[in-house]
Amino acid sequence: MIFLDFIFEDRDIKWLAWLERPLAKLGKVDMLSVCIALVVLLVSAITFGAHAHQHGGAHADKAETVLLAGIAGLITYMIVGGLSGYFEDKLEEEEEREHEEEEEAARTGKPKSAVRLAGKAAFFMFLYLEVLDASFSFDGVIGAFAITNDIVLMALGLGIGAMYVRSLTVYLVRQGTLDDYVYLEHGAHYAIVALAVILLVTIQYEIHEIITGLVGVALIGWSFFSSVRRNRALAAAEGESKANETEAVLTS
């Protein structure tokens, strides 16, 4: 669902334009991502879940378990997304109301309750950020199952990863890196869908952790180098344009 919601949105910057452009047009259809997710879930339950392996090599019909888990995950994702959108709208309403009251206070000369307005805006911002944090936590925990089923390793990895990612995110924001390497977001979402496919396949077949890790690293690395090539091409085009302008001025 994270990948589908990303790929069905029409964006100004496209990495794999041959794929993203037609999918963005399909994204205009309401609830398309939910329908595709349910179809994939149904197919996975019928194909992988019906012939899943138990410990010891025996076969077991896990179609019901796959369907139950998938529907529960889908409901959770939609609830978190709905709450996120609700709090975001509320925050925008509070900001607009605060702006209107500021203008009215400036017109009439009456003091406004800055504490109340700031408190309400901060409250909705807090709820909005908490819901966003919950959504990323769900994503991280589910993705960890694609690497290992050891709870201790998962807890250590997610804990270290949370601290590292936070520091890395703050650094990237301050340096403006994500604005320079515009395809990194695309690469991350393609890595997410790769993990999703691997998780579905591992219902029946075992996939080595090295393969799972390398797939994500390869996609993000590919997007990084694509961003570097794009920046170099833009810089070369800009330099050529300036050279042409200088030549035209000298000629005239």
Side-chain angles (χ1 to χ4, degrees), residues 172-249:
L172 292 178
V173 170
R174 288 177 177 173
Q175 297 296 320
T177 305
L178 296 180
D179 294 330
D180 296 333
Y181 302 102
V182 294
Y183 297 140
L184 280 178
E185 184 180 9
H186 297 73
H189 282 84
Y190 282 107
I192 287 173
V193 75
L195 287 176
V197 172
I198 290 173
L199 280 170
L200 293 174
V201 173
T202 52
I203 296 173
Q204 183 176 358
Y205 304 103
E206 184 176 353
I207 298 179
H208 200 278
E209 292 86 352
I210 295 178
I211 297 175
T212 305
L214 288 178
V215 168
V217 171
L219 287 169
I220 295 176
W222 182 19
S223 66
F224 174 77
F225 286 113
S226 297
S227 301
V228 172
R229 285 195 307 173
R230 173 184 179 274
N231 294 340
R232 288 177 179 174
L234 290 176
E238 184 178 354
E240 185 177 351
S241 176
K242 289 182 179 179
N244 292 336
E245 290 177 1
T246 304
E247 184 178 355
V249 170

Side-chain angles (χ1 to χ4, degrees), residues 69-82:
I71 292 174
L74 187 61
I75 291 172
T76 303
Y77 177 85
M78 295 179 70
I79 290 174
V80 171

Side-chain angles (χ1 to χ4, degrees), residues 26-85:
L26 288 175
K28 296 178 181 179
V29 180
D30 290 338
M31 305 300 291
L32 181 61
S33 58
V34 178
C35 294
I36 292 178
L38 288 173
V39 169
V40 171
L41 176 61
L42 182 61
V43 172
S44 301
I46 294 173
T47 55
F48 299 129
H51 304 286
H53 290 285
Q54 279 185 326
H55 294 291
H59 290 279
D61 187 354
K62 293 186 178 180
E64 182 179 350
T65 304
V66 173
L67 283 174
L68 181 62
I71 292 174
L74 187 61
I75 291 172
T76 303
Y77 177 85
M78 295 179 70
I79 290 174
V80 171
L83 289 174
S84 176

Side-chain angles (χ1 to χ4, degrees), residues 145-163:
F145 279 104
I147 305 297
T148 179
N149 289 329
D150 192 321
I151 301 299
V152 175
L153 291 178
M154 287 174 59
L156 289 173
L158 290 171
I160 296 172
M163 292 186 290

